[in-house]
Amino acid sequence: MIQQRQIQLQAKMKMLDDVFHHTIVSLERLELFLEAEKGATENLKYTALKTNRDRHDDYQRPPTKDSFYGEIQLQCSALLFQTAFDDKETFEKVVKYFLQDLLEWYGGRNESIQPNDVEKFFVPVAVVISRQIESVLEVTKAVTEYVCDIRRIDSMTDAEKEAAVKAGIDAFIKAGPIVHVDMQTFLDKNEEVKLTVHQRGTMEEGVVRLYKSFETLYNDKAPSLLLYKLLNQYFPEKNAKLTDYTEESITIFFESKKEESKPEEGDKKE
């Protein structure tokens, strides 16, 4: 019985690692797309894009701006189903590992890259990893509120709907057997899963990058406080070293920003 539970846990961890890896693939694809629009891709580092688990065929299915965003939202929804663990100790370890990996990935976005929607996607990915939301509807809400309102299928033309559904079915059909074979090969080896590393920088670099980006991208303190509270819960020793960012200083900064954005008395319309 114990051995069976261990096998089930290893299979679940393998699925979680695969889905998280695909989430990083989708983030790196969006990152490349946004930088390519500006003709500035030379400073990008990849950890998941074009690896053996990146099975995108952009020739057969050319991506669009909507599809880059929609793919990350879809991966967040898939991630939601893989982060549910009955055992609290296992869950805490899982959150800590993947949160650190995510922050170290963001640490690779250097100062030459302007803050954009890649940073914004930290919010839905992080709340899914930490299980602060529990439904696909809440995933959509988080993306809409903190990233952008991705075009939904009910707003498409009939031709666009048909193409979108066909692309989804084709991808599912092609991926299904591959995923099954991958999992069976893993189980046959009877080995412990080796979680993928997506490190491009240090955790501190990633945290500071996100804090500074949120100060630019949002007038709402919620994303910065989310980051602060996650660090305080899972990495209190590192949080203590970041003395420039406290719950109080974050609140003061965004309150000041709101005040500065208010129109002057003389600017008000009669």
Side-chain angles (χ1 to χ4, degrees):
M1 182 66 73
I2 294 176
Q3 185 181 8
Q4 183 61 31
R5 284 203 299 267
Q6 186 62 25
I7 291 172
Q8 290 173 348
L9 177 60
Q10 288 299 308
K12 184 171 178 59
M13 290 299 295
K14 174 72 167 62
M15 284 294 295
L16 172 56
D17 185 66
D18 282 343
V19 173
F20 185 79
H21 183 74
H22 294 150
T23 303
I24 298 294
V25 170
S26 64
L27 283 169
E28 290 184 354
R29 281 168 63 79
L30 176 62
E31 180 181 65
L32 176 60
F33 171 76
L34 294 177
E35 293 308 300
E37 281 190 321
K38 300 185 299 182
T41 60
E42 65 275 6
N43 292 314
L44 299 182
K45 302 175 185 175
Y46 305 120
T47 65
L49 193 66
K50 301 190 184 302
T51 58
N52 63 343
R53 284 185 285 173
D54 176 10
R55 300 188 179 97
H56 289 88
D57 186 346
D58 290 342
Y59 179 77
Q60 291 290 335
R61 297 188 298 277
T64 64
K65 187 170 186 176
D66 287 336
S67 73
F68 284 116
Y69 283 82
E71 183 182 353
I72 304 177
Q73 179 172 299
L74 180 63
Q75 292 302 332
C76 285
S77 298
L79 198 57
L80 183 69
F81 293 105
Q82 300 302 325
T83 51
F85 287 85
D86 295 330
D87 181 64
K88 184 178 180 181
E89 183 179 354
T90 301
F91 172 73
E92 296 290 318
K93 288 179 179 178
V94 163
V95 176
K96 189 168 184 176
Y97 177 85
F98 286 101
L99 180 59
Q100 177 174 340
D101 194 48
L102 183 62
L103 291 170
E104 290 175 345
W105 182 83
Y106 274 104
R109 282 174 64 80
N110 60 47
E111 293 180 357
S112 68
I113 306 171
Q114 293 299 309
N116 57 31
D117 289 346
V118 174
E119 275 82 20
K120 287 184 176 183
F121 264 114
F122 172 82
V123 177
V125 175
V127 295
V128 167
I129 292 172
S130 57
R131 299 290 296 181
Q132 295 186 40
I133 57 178
E134 297 182 346
S135 72
V136 171
L137 185 61
E138 288 178 290
V139 171
T140 303
K141 185 178 178 182
V143 172
T144 301
E145 187 169 355
Y146 293 106
V147 185
C148 65
D149 190 2
I150 297 172
R151 246 180 121 206
R152 296 176 189 166
I153 197 164
D154 55 6
S155 69
M156 297 178 180
T157 66
D158 289 344
E160 288 172 329
K161 287 178 184 177
E162 183 178 354
V165 171
K166 184 177 184 301
I169 292 172
D170 287 347
F172 178 79
I173 291 172
K174 289 180 180 179
I178 297 172
V179 171
H180 177 75
V181 170
D182 284 352
M183 178 60 73
Q184 192 58 54
T185 301
F186 167 73
L187 292 174
D188 289 344
K189 289 180 180 178
N190 196 27
E191 297 175 348
E192 284 196 14
V193 64
K194 294 180 181 178
L195 298 178
T196 312
V197 176
H198 303 95
Q199 183 180 25
R200 305 195 296 182
T202 67
M203 187 192 301
E204 183 175 345
E205 287 171 331
V207 171
V208 172
R209 168 77 191 191
L210 287 169
Y211 273 135
K212 289 183 176 179
S213 297
F214 293 162
E215 289 175 352
T216 301
L217 296 168
Y218 296 110
N219 290 323
D220 182 0
K221 66 181 179 181
S224 294
L225 286 180
L226 167 69
L227 177 57
Y228 174 82
K229 290 176 180 179
L230 284 172
L231 288 171
N232 211 40
Q233 182 174 357
Y234 293 101
F235 305 98
E237 70 290 347
K238 292 187 179 294
N239 209 26
K241 294 179 181 178
L242 296 168
T243 54
D244 288 343
Y245 300 98
T246 64
E247 191 165 358
E248 182 181 11
S249 70
I250 289 168
T251 300
I252 290 172
F253 174 85
F254 281 97
E255 285 179 352
S256 175
K257 190 175 181 182
K258 283 183 180 179
E259 286 297 320
E260 289 174 1
S261 65
K262 286 182 179 178
E264 295 291 336
E265 198 67 31
D267 294 336
K268 291 181 180 178
K269 294 181 179 180
E270 296 295 330

mmCIF file of all heavy atoms in Angstrom, residues 2-26:
data_model
loop_
_atom_site.group_PDB
_atom_site.id
_atom_site.type_symbol
_atom_site.label_atom_id
_atom_site.label_comp_id
_atom_site.label_asym_id
_atom_site.label_seq_id
_atom_site.Cartn_x
_atom_site.Cartn_y
_atom_site.Cartn_z
ATOM 1 N N ILE A 2 1.917 1.253 0.853
ATOM 2 C CA ILE A 2 2.812 2.407 0.918
ATOM 3 C C ILE A 2 3.504 2.611 -0.423
ATOM 4 O O ILE A 2 3.623 3.732 -0.917
ATOM 5 C CB ILE A 2 3.855 2.234 2.047
ATOM 6 C CG1 ILE A 2 3.154 2.243 3.410
ATOM 7 C CG2 ILE A 2 4.903 3.326 1.986
ATOM 8 C CD1 ILE A 2 4.068 1.981 4.579
ATOM 9 N N GLN A 3 3.954 1.483 -1.026
ATOM 10 C CA GLN A 3 4.629 1.576 -2.313
ATOM 11 C C GLN A 3 3.691 2.129 -3.382
ATOM 12 O O GLN A 3 4.092 2.944 -4.213
ATOM 13 C CB GLN A 3 5.146 0.207 -2.746
ATOM 14 C CG GLN A 3 5.980 0.273 -4.029
ATOM 15 C CD GLN A 3 6.477 -1.098 -4.455
ATOM 16 O OE1 GLN A 3 6.084 -2.114 -3.892
ATOM 17 N NE2 GLN A 3 7.338 -1.121 -5.454
ATOM 18 N N GLN A 4 2.417 1.707 -3.349
ATOM 19 C CA GLN A 4 1.444 2.185 -4.322
ATOM 20 C C GLN A 4 1.215 3.685 -4.172
ATOM 21 O O GLN A 4 1.144 4.408 -5.160
ATOM 22 C CB GLN A 4 0.114 1.432 -4.137
ATOM 23 C CG GLN A 4 -0.962 1.797 -5.146
ATOM 24 C CD GLN A 4 -0.560 1.480 -6.579
ATOM 25 O OE1 GLN A 4 0.184 0.545 -6.831
ATOM 26 N NE2 GLN A 4 -1.046 2.278 -7.522
ATOM 27 N N ARG A 5 1.120 4.153 -2.914
ATOM 28 C CA ARG A 5 0.939 5.586 -2.675
ATOM 29 C C ARG A 5 2.143 6.370 -3.169
ATOM 30 O O ARG A 5 2.011 7.472 -3.702
ATOM 31 C CB ARG A 5 0.703 5.858 -1.180
ATOM 32 C CG ARG A 5 -0.698 5.514 -0.694
ATOM 33 C CD ARG A 5 -1.042 6.286 0.549
ATOM 34 N NE ARG A 5 -0.137 5.978 1.645
ATOM 35 C CZ ARG A 5 -0.341 5.046 2.571
ATOM 36 N NH1 ARG A 5 -1.444 4.306 2.513
ATOM 37 N NH2 ARG A 5 0.524 4.849 3.540
ATOM 38 N N GLN A 6 3.339 5.798 -2.997
ATOM 39 C CA GLN A 6 4.558 6.458 -3.447
ATOM 40 C C GLN A 6 4.585 6.570 -4.973
ATOM 41 O O GLN A 6 4.989 7.598 -5.528
ATOM 42 C CB GLN A 6 5.787 5.687 -2.945
ATOM 43 C CG GLN A 6 7.123 6.352 -3.233
ATOM 44 C CD GLN A 6 7.273 7.703 -2.564
ATOM 45 O OE1 GLN A 6 6.633 7.971 -1.559
ATOM 46 N NE2 GLN A 6 8.120 8.548 -3.118
ATOM 47 N N ILE A 7 4.156 5.511 -5.641
ATOM 48 C CA ILE A 7 4.096 5.518 -7.108
ATOM 49 C C ILE A 7 3.119 6.591 -7.587
ATOM 50 O O ILE A 7 3.397 7.353 -8.522
ATOM 51 C CB ILE A 7 3.683 4.131 -7.648
ATOM 52 C CG1 ILE A 7 4.794 3.109 -7.397
ATOM 53 C CG2 ILE A 7 3.355 4.206 -9.141
ATOM 54 C CD1 ILE A 7 4.406 1.691 -7.709
ATOM 55 N N GLN A 8 1.954 6.668 -6.917
ATOM 56 C CA GLN A 8 0.944 7.664 -7.276
ATOM 57 C C GLN A 8 1.477 9.082 -7.066
ATOM 58 O O GLN A 8 1.230 9.971 -7.885
ATOM 59 C CB GLN A 8 -0.328 7.438 -6.457
ATOM 60 C CG GLN A 8 -1.083 6.178 -6.849
ATOM 61 C CD GLN A 8 -2.248 5.893 -5.911
ATOM 62 O OE1 GLN A 8 -2.388 6.495 -4.844
ATOM 63 N NE2 GLN A 8 -3.103 4.958 -6.307
ATOM 64 N N LEU A 9 2.207 9.270 -5.968
ATOM 65 C CA LEU A 9 2.775 10.592 -5.680
ATOM 66 C C LEU A 9 3.811 10.974 -6.734
ATOM 67 O O LEU A 9 3.832 12.118 -7.212
ATOM 68 C CB LEU A 9 3.408 10.611 -4.287
ATOM 69 C CG LEU A 9 4.118 11.922 -3.885
ATOM 70 C CD1 LEU A 9 3.124 13.085 -3.896
ATOM 71 C CD2 LEU A 9 4.766 11.779 -2.516
ATOM 72 N N GLN A 10 4.657 10.013 -7.108
ATOM 73 C CA GLN A 10 5.678 10.295 -8.115
ATOM 74 C C GLN A 10 5.034 10.631 -9.467
ATOM 75 O O GLN A 10 5.492 11.521 -10.179
ATOM 76 C CB GLN A 10 6.622 9.091 -8.260
ATOM 77 C CG GLN A 10 7.561 8.899 -7.088
ATOM 78 C CD GLN A 10 8.475 10.097 -6.877
ATOM 79 O OE1 GLN A 10 9.140 10.562 -7.791
ATOM 80 N NE2 GLN A 10 8.491 10.611 -5.649
ATOM 81 N N ALA A 11 3.958 9.922 -9.804
ATOM 82 C CA ALA A 11 3.246 10.191 -11.058
ATOM 83 C C ALA A 11 2.623 11.586 -11.024
ATOM 84 O O ALA A 11 2.670 12.322 -12.021
ATOM 85 C CB ALA A 11 2.168 9.143 -11.287
ATOM 86 N N LYS A 12 2.066 11.960 -9.881
ATOM 87 C CA LYS A 12 1.455 13.283 -9.744
ATOM 88 C C LYS A 12 2.519 14.379 -9.839
ATOM 89 O O LYS A 12 2.304 15.402 -10.486
ATOM 90 C CB LYS A 12 0.713 13.380 -8.407
ATOM 91 C CG LYS A 12 -0.041 14.692 -8.218
ATOM 92 C CD LYS A 12 -0.929 14.649 -7.003
ATOM 93 C CE LYS A 12 -1.644 15.979 -6.785
ATOM 94 N NZ LYS A 12 -2.482 16.395 -7.907
ATOM 95 N N MET A 13 3.678 14.145 -9.210
ATOM 96 C CA MET A 13 4.761 15.125 -9.265
ATOM 97 C C MET A 13 5.292 15.264 -10.693
ATOM 98 O O MET A 13 5.654 16.359 -11.131
ATOM 99 C CB MET A 13 5.889 14.723 -8.321
ATOM 100 C CG MET A 13 5.531 14.843 -6.840
ATOM 101 S SD MET A 13 5.099 16.527 -6.342
ATOM 102 C CE MET A 13 6.654 17.360 -6.599
ATOM 103 N N LYS A 14 5.316 14.153 -11.407
ATOM 104 C CA LYS A 14 5.756 14.185 -12.817
ATOM 105 C C LYS A 14 4.791 15.036 -13.647
ATOM 106 O O LYS A 14 5.219 15.867 -14.463
ATOM 107 C CB LYS A 14 5.817 12.762 -13.375
ATOM 108 C CG LYS A 14 6.120 12.657 -14.875
ATOM 109 C CD LYS A 14 7.563 12.995 -15.185
ATOM 110 C CE LYS A 14 7.985 12.597 -16.590
ATOM 111 N NZ LYS A 14 7.236 13.277 -17.668
ATOM 112 N N MET A 15 3.498 14.839 -13.439
ATOM 113 C CA MET A 15 2.502 15.620 -14.170
ATOM 114 C C MET A 15 2.609 17.093 -13.815
ATOM 115 O O MET A 15 2.547 17.966 -14.695
ATOM 116 C CB MET A 15 1.094 15.102 -13.851
ATOM 117 C CG MET A 15 0.741 13.804 -14.550
ATOM 118 S SD MET A 15 0.641 13.986 -16.350
ATOM 119 C CE MET A 15 -0.766 15.097 -16.487
ATOM 120 N N LEU A 16 2.778 17.387 -12.521
ATOM 121 C CA LEU A 16 2.914 18.774 -12.081
ATOM 122 C C LEU A 16 4.140 19.418 -12.709
ATOM 123 O O LEU A 16 4.083 20.552 -13.193
ATOM 124 C CB LEU A 16 2.999 18.825 -10.550
ATOM 125 C CG LEU A 16 3.334 20.175 -9.916
ATOM 126 C CD1 LEU A 16 2.352 21.254 -10.356
ATOM 127 C CD2 LEU A 16 3.352 20.054 -8.390
ATOM 128 N N ASP A 17 5.252 18.702 -12.706
ATOM 129 C CA ASP A 17 6.482 19.239 -13.284
ATOM 130 C C ASP A 17 6.303 19.508 -14.771
ATOM 131 O O ASP A 17 6.756 20.539 -15.288
ATOM 132 C CB ASP A 17 7.628 18.255 -13.056
ATOM 133 C CG ASP A 17 8.966 18.820 -13.522
ATOM 134 O OD1 ASP A 17 9.440 19.804 -12.928
ATOM 135 O OD2 ASP A 17 9.526 18.293 -14.502
ATOM 136 N N ASP A 18 5.642 18.608 -15.475
ATOM 137 C CA ASP A 18 5.405 18.790 -16.908
ATOM 138 C C ASP A 18 4.539 20.024 -17.176
ATOM 139 O O ASP A 18 4.836 20.825 -18.062
ATOM 140 C CB ASP A 18 4.730 17.552 -17.510
ATOM 141 C CG ASP A 18 5.705 16.412 -17.746
ATOM 142 O OD1 ASP A 18 6.925 16.666 -17.761
ATOM 143 O OD2 ASP A 18 5.246 15.266 -17.913
ATOM 144 N N VAL A 19 3.454 20.159 -16.389
ATOM 145 C CA VAL A 19 2.548 21.293 -16.602
ATOM 146 C C VAL A 19 3.247 22.603 -16.256
ATOM 147 O O VAL A 19 3.104 23.601 -16.975
ATOM 148 C CB VAL A 19 1.256 21.126 -15.772
ATOM 149 C CG1 VAL A 19 0.395 22.380 -15.862
ATOM 150 C CG2 VAL A 19 0.460 19.925 -16.268
ATOM 151 N N PHE A 20 4.033 22.610 -15.181
ATOM 152 C CA PHE A 20 4.752 23.837 -14.828
ATOM 153 C C PHE A 20 5.784 24.171 -15.907
ATOM 154 O O PHE A 20 5.964 25.342 -16.265
ATOM 155 C CB PHE A 20 5.445 23.683 -13.475
ATOM 156 C CG PHE A 20 6.093 24.960 -13.006
ATOM 157 C CD1 PHE A 20 5.344 25.973 -12.435
ATOM 158 C CD2 PHE A 20 7.459 25.152 -13.150
ATOM 159 C CE1 PHE A 20 5.937 27.160 -12.021
ATOM 160 C CE2 PHE A 20 8.059 26.334 -12.737
ATOM 161 C CZ PHE A 20 7.297 27.341 -12.173
ATOM 162 N N HIS A 21 6.455 23.153 -16.426
ATOM 163 C CA HIS A 21 7.417 23.363 -17.507
ATOM 164 C C HIS A 21 6.723 23.981 -18.725
ATOM 165 O O HIS A 21 7.243 24.907 -19.355
ATOM 166 C CB HIS A 21 8.070 22.027 -17.887
ATOM 167 C CG HIS A 21 9.123 22.138 -18.941
ATOM 168 N ND1 HIS A 21 10.371 22.664 -18.706
ATOM 169 C CD2 HIS A 21 9.112 21.793 -20.262
ATOM 170 C CE1 HIS A 21 11.094 22.637 -19.819
ATOM 171 N NE2 HIS A 21 10.349 22.099 -20.779
ATOM 172 N N HIS A 22 5.532 23.485 -19.046
ATOM 173 C CA HIS A 22 4.788 24.032 -20.171
ATOM 174 C C HIS A 22 4.342 25.463 -19.890
ATOM 175 O O HIS A 22 4.229 26.275 -20.817
ATOM 176 C CB HIS A 22 3.577 23.148 -20.481
ATOM 177 C CG HIS A 22 3.945 21.793 -20.981
ATOM 178 N ND1 HIS A 22 3.164 20.682 -20.763
ATOM 179 C CD2 HIS A 22 5.033 21.362 -21.673
ATOM 180 C CE1 HIS A 22 3.761 19.621 -21.307
ATOM 181 N NE2 HIS A 22 4.880 20.012 -21.861
ATOM 182 N N THR A 23 4.093 25.771 -18.618
ATOM 183 C CA THR A 23 3.757 27.148 -18.244
ATOM 184 C C THR A 23 4.943 28.070 -18.511
ATOM 185 O O THR A 23 4.780 29.178 -19.047
ATOM 186 C CB THR A 23 3.357 27.227 -16.756
ATOM 187 O OG1 THR A 23 2.264 26.337 -16.506
ATOM 188 C CG2 THR A 23 2.944 28.643 -16.375
ATOM 189 N N ILE A 24 6.147 27.605 -18.168
ATOM 190 C CA ILE A 24 7.350 28.394 -18.448
ATOM 191 C C ILE A 24 7.576 28.513 -19.951
ATOM 192 O O ILE A 24 7.974 29.573 -20.450
ATOM 193 C CB ILE A 24 8.587 27.776 -17.757
ATOM 194 C CG1 ILE A 24 8.414 27.782 -16.230
ATOM 195 C CG2 ILE A 24 9.852 28.534 -18.140
ATOM 196 C CD1 ILE A 24 8.368 29.159 -15.610
ATOM 197 N N VAL A 25 7.306 27.437 -20.688
ATOM 198 C CA VAL A 25 7.396 27.504 -22.162
ATOM 199 C C VAL A 25 6.505 28.639 -22.669
ATOM 200 O O VAL A 25 6.925 29.469 -23.488
ATOM 201 C CB VAL A 25 6.966 26.178 -22.827
ATOM 202 C CG1 VAL A 25 6.822 26.361 -24.342
ATOM 203 C CG2 VAL A 25 7.972 25.076 -22.551
ATOM 204 N N SER A 26 5.271 28.685 -22.177
ATOM 205 C CA SER A 26 4.323 29.698 -22.664
ATOM 206 C C SER A 26 4.751 31.103 -22.252
ATOM 207 O O SER A 26 4.557 32.060 -23.014
ATOM 208 C CB SER A 26 2.900 29.388 -22.170
ATOM 209 O OG SER A 26 2.812 29.457 -20.757
#
